[in-house]
Amino acid sequence: MTNKSEVEIKENIIGRETFRLLEISKNPKIEDLLDAALDGREKTVESVSKLYSFVQRHFGEGVTTAGPAGSSTTDKFWVACSAFLRESGVTDEELSKIRYPYPRAGEPGFRSILDEMHDEGRD
């Protein structure tokens, strides 16, 4: 009998949650998506923002933001999360920061792989 490390336990929990959210995203009723995803957790701006952050981290950017290589699952969650966040008084600027948490090409702070390679002397 082996004891699982804390890292393995955390990875298992994240894996189960990822698959649970994927199954939920297959439900055609987008209005039920957010409640099902929160699974009894309090629906607040903070909890919904964290949910979307988790979805984006594990499913990638949405199709509408990343093109064909993006995730339609992420897009479904964005529709549900952004509707709640707007109703809760979150501004367009705050919504943009939630949807695009990392600098994008052309924005201050953006570093491409070519920039990183140049800095490492691998031109």
Side-chain angles (χ1 to χ4, degrees):
M1 184 170 174
T2 62
N3 291 330
K4 289 187 176 184
S5 71
E6 287 184 33
V7 172
E8 289 174 314
I9 293 169
K10 185 175 181 179
E11 287 175 355
N12 284 337
I13 291 169
I14 289 172
R16 281 193 303 271
E17 184 67 4
T18 301
F19 280 106
R20 186 182 75 81
L21 292 174
L22 181 60
E23 278 301 311
I24 289 168
S25 74
K26 294 177 183 178
N27 182 348
K29 291 185 178 180
I30 200 89
E31 58 275 358
D32 298 335
L33 184 81
L34 188 55
D35 289 330
L38 289 172
D39 192 31
R41 295 177 194 100
E42 188 176 9
K43 192 189 301 185
T44 64
V45 170
E46 182 181 3
S47 65
V48 172
S49 297
K50 283 182 180 179
L51 169 66
Y52 184 73
S53 177
F54 181 89
V55 167
Q56 192 174 46
R57 238 184 354 267
H58 294 280
F59 294 105
E61 287 192 354
V63 175
T64 57
T65 56
S71 167
S72 61
T73 300
T74 302
D75 284 340
K76 288 178 185 179
F77 277 97
W78 178 249
V79 169
C81 291
S82 64
F84 170 79
L85 293 169
R86 282 186 197 284
E87 289 173 13
S88 298
V90 174
T91 66
D92 287 343
E93 184 178 330
E94 292 168 325
L95 280 173
S96 182
K97 287 179 183 177
I98 293 167
R99 188 168 194 192
Y100 309 111
Y102 311 107
R104 303 179 67 75
E107 294 179 348
F110 176 80
R111 305 233 339 117
S112 73
I113 187 68
L114 296 175
D115 295 332
E116 291 176 17
M117 288 175 66
H118 178 270
D119 292 349
E120 293 174 1
R122 299 190 294 167
D123 292 335

